[in-house]
Amino acid sequence: MWNPPAVDMMMSRNDKESLTMLGNAYKNAADEIGIQKLAPKDVADTLRQGGTFVFRGKTAILEHYDSKVGNNCEINAILSSLSSSS
């Protein structure tokens, strides 16, 4: 489910107890809900990595969809969107 660099990052910022709790939460969800119901109906939805969104009221002034792990929005783009939307 997670690639080695993602696991390494999780390990560097979490202790064993919190990672155990996370693993147990996934296991309990799979046991109680069923693994098939945990997965999105559209396989393309599993490829979404996250994103960054800035809103002014209901209007999106910045939308960045991460294409892969680590493809985060540049901080300068975020700051620029804030200053240009005033």
Side-chain angles (χ1 to χ4, degrees), residues 15-26:
D15 60 16
K16 183 177 179 179
E17 181 182 356
S18 65
L19 292 171
T20 299
M21 289 173 59
L22 177 64
N24 286 336
Y26 276 103

Side-chain angles (χ1 to χ4, degrees), residues 8-77:
D8 290 343
M9 288 298 295
M10 288 173 56
M11 294 298 287
S12 72
R13 64 179 181 243
N14 294 286
D15 60 16
K16 183 177 179 179
E17 181 182 356
S18 65
L19 292 171
T20 299
M21 289 173 59
L22 177 64
N24 286 336
Y26 276 103
K27 182 183 179 321
N28 290 341
D31 291 346
E32 292 177 27
I33 298 170
I35 195 72
Q36 294 301 323
K37 291 183 181 176
L38 288 175
K41 290 183 174 134
D42 183 353
V43 73
D45 290 339
T46 64
L47 303 176
R48 290 198 185 116
Q49 298 295 320
T52 303
F53 306 91
V54 178
F55 291 87
R56 170 97 37 223
K58 292 183 178 183
T59 304
I61 57 176
L62 173 72
E63 294 180 41
H64 172 86
Y65 297 90
D66 299 350
S67 61
K68 60 183 178 181
V69 173
N71 176 242
N72 303 317
C73 188
E74 294 292 330
I75 189 68
N76 289 336

